[in-house]
Amino acid sequence: MAIVTEKQAVNLLRQGQVVALPTETVYGLAGRIDSEATLRKIFAIKQRPFFDPLIVHVHSIAQAKSLCSQWPEIFDLLIANFWPGPLTLIAPKNASVSSIISSGLDTVGIRCPDHPLTLALLRTLGTPLAAPSANRFGHTSPTTAAHVEEEFAQSVAVLDGGPCAVGVESTVLAAELSDDTWWLKILRPGGISRAQIRDCLKGANIKFELFREESSASPGHLKSHYKPAAPLILLNQKLWSKETQAEAEKQLQRPLNNAVELRLPETPHEAARVLFEEFRRLSLPKDAAIYVTRSAAQNGEDWEAVFDRIVRAASVTLI
Ligand code: TXA
Ligand code: MG
């Protein structure tokens, strides 16, 4: 099975099948949250370990709240600005969320995807959908229907919604209220930047601290992830030269005669949009290797999501 129509996608999901769906970030491998067999299928198809929790996709705030035992008030503000969109919110879950989804945590990650086909499908279905990115575990996330087909050799039904506009996954955010201050933890940088979150909350009369937390709280966000088929070499404020090539060859223990540069577009927005597509395209030639230079200007917050992916995808980093 490969490309399916919207109607077929709805029917398959109703029956408890897994279908790859378009979102604005990356394609997701979706299944209904009220079927444990379906949830297990998602993990099996992805070859994903059970310690990595799934994000639940909803079409409305009401549907999001129906999954939670408590609702951090600050989420209303964030949702008013960013939903539908690439922001996943972590909230205490209730019993309607299987521990397969949460990997045994007492929280659930929820987001409302900004894609007309998938939003319409969620409304028709009436059941929230769990969906991790539609790639094999550890691989580059898919941003087109063709990428999904490459990942699973046509064994998965795909609803084609065109190329993803954002190109990297959603920002994952948890919130805790303590001493009158909201502590906002970015567990994964993504489609919504820190500056956007700050700007949204600045006008509201609340105290908040926004920070990045790299911890086991986002257990699936492993050090090594998003790997392209060809080895990726990250050059921190360095250019590709005889010396850097020799050092990379030493670390990879293979010659790099076909290394090509990944040239990032000028804006972080555009770079995010093409990043995973470029990982795949540049991996195609025989014996390919990819190198990418991070300039000083790209150390800024705006580039956080793009370089989070590149750093994790890199097989070699030369500082
Ligand atoms: O943009 C996206 O978020 C895409 C599209 C398909 O929606 N989905 C996606 O899912 O990236 P996935 O499974 O590849 O990544 C989910 C991330 C993982 O890093 C996981 O650890 C984190 O979200 N996550 C999910 N539930 C969590 C929870 N309850 N607490 C902390 N982190 C959670
Ligand atoms: Mg993923």
Side-chain angles (χ1 to χ4, degrees):
M1 185 172 321
I3 302 295
V4 294
T5 63
E6 289 155 65
K7 211 167 157 193
Q8 285 170 323
V10 170
N11 286 337
L12 288 166
L13 288 164
R14 279 215 174 103
Q15 291 160 20
Q17 299 300 318
V18 170
V19 179
L21 299 178
T23 82
E24 79 284 26
T25 58
V26 300
Y27 276 70
L29 198 59
R32 52 193 301 153
I33 64 161
D34 55 358
S35 159
E36 297 230 332
T38 306
L39 296 170
R40 287 185 194 284
K41 247 184 250 171
I42 295 176
F43 281 90
I45 294 171
K46 264 193 77 106
Q47 298 161 20
R48 176 170 173 132
F50 282 103
F51 64 74
D52 192 358
L54 304 178
I55 291 173
V56 177
H57 295 67
V58 298
H59 62 72
S60 64
I61 302 191
Q63 202 176 40
K65 288 186 175 171
S66 77
L67 304 168
C68 302
S69 61
Q70 275 172 49
W71 183 256
E73 240 176 277
I74 198 166
F75 284 178
D76 289 329
L77 270 173
L78 294 166
I79 285 175
N81 273 269
F82 299 122
W83 276 17
L87 181 66
T88 295
L89 297 168
I90 306 291
K93 76 174 194 74
N94 64 25
S96 70
V97 178
S98 156
S99 63
I100 300 179
I101 292 175
S102 64
S103 301
L105 299 173
D106 52 14
T107 54
V108 59
I110 310 171
R111 87 176 193 97
C112 179
D114 190 11
H115 193 290
L117 289 185
T118 295
L119 268 182
L121 189 147
L122 280 164
R123 285 195 197 102
T124 308
L125 210 58
T127 316
L129 293 171
S133 51
N135 51 278
R136 278 170 294 153
F137 188 69
H139 284 208
T140 302
S141 307
T143 53
T144 66
H147 295 165
V148 180
E149 294 188 294
E150 273 165 47
E151 282 292 310
F152 301 113
Q154 309 235 333
S155 61
V156 172
V158 189
L159 179 64
D160 188 351
C164 301
V166 174
V168 295
E169 297 84 348
S170 60
T171 302
V172 179
L173 190 75
E176 257 172 55
L177 183 63
S178 151
D179 302 329
D180 287 341
T181 299
W182 283 102
W183 300 87
L184 299 175
K185 290 182 273 186
I186 296 177
L187 302 177
R188 177 179 71 182
I192 299 291
S193 71
R194 279 182 205 232
Q196 283 175 287
I197 296 173
R198 241 189 256 116
D199 287 350
C200 151
L201 297 175
K202 251 192 325 218
N205 190 22
I206 47 165
K207 281 202 270 179
F208 69 92
E209 294 287 338
L210 178 64
F211 56 97
R212 173 78 189 278
E213 186 171 273
E214 291 204 59
S215 80
S216 55
S218 207
H221 205 43
L222 302 176
K223 284 243 143 36
S224 167
H225 218 123
Y226 311 106
K227 286 252 182 291
L232 178 69
I233 300 142
L234 170 59
L235 304 161
N236 258 325
Q237 293 175 53
K238 270 183 197 287
L239 295 177
W240 188 245
S241 64
K242 280 214 164 68
E243 289 73 33
T244 48
Q245 178 172 344
E247 182 53 36
E249 286 177 338
K250 200 165 108 193
Q251 292 196 29
L252 290 168
Q253 303 212 323
R254 57 162 271 202
L256 297 172
N257 300 323
N258 288 330
V260 285
E261 182 172 11
L262 163 55
R263 288 175 165 273
L264 292 172
E266 289 208 347
T267 67
H269 182 84
E270 189 54 18
R273 193 178 68 76
V274 301
L275 183 70
F276 291 151
E277 168 101 57
E278 286 292 86
F279 277 9
R280 285 173 191 271
R281 187 179 68 83
L282 297 174
S283 291
L284 288 177
K286 193 167 174 298
D287 295 332
I290 309 167
Y291 62 89
V292 58
T293 290
R294 181 179 198 166
S295 69
Q298 290 164 335
N299 285 328
E301 273 185 6
D302 286 358
W303 286 89
E304 194 177 6
V306 167
F307 278 96
D308 171 79
R309 305 308 188 269
I310 290 178
V311 165
R312 286 169 209 274
S315 297
V316 174
T317 300
L318 300 178
I319 333 174

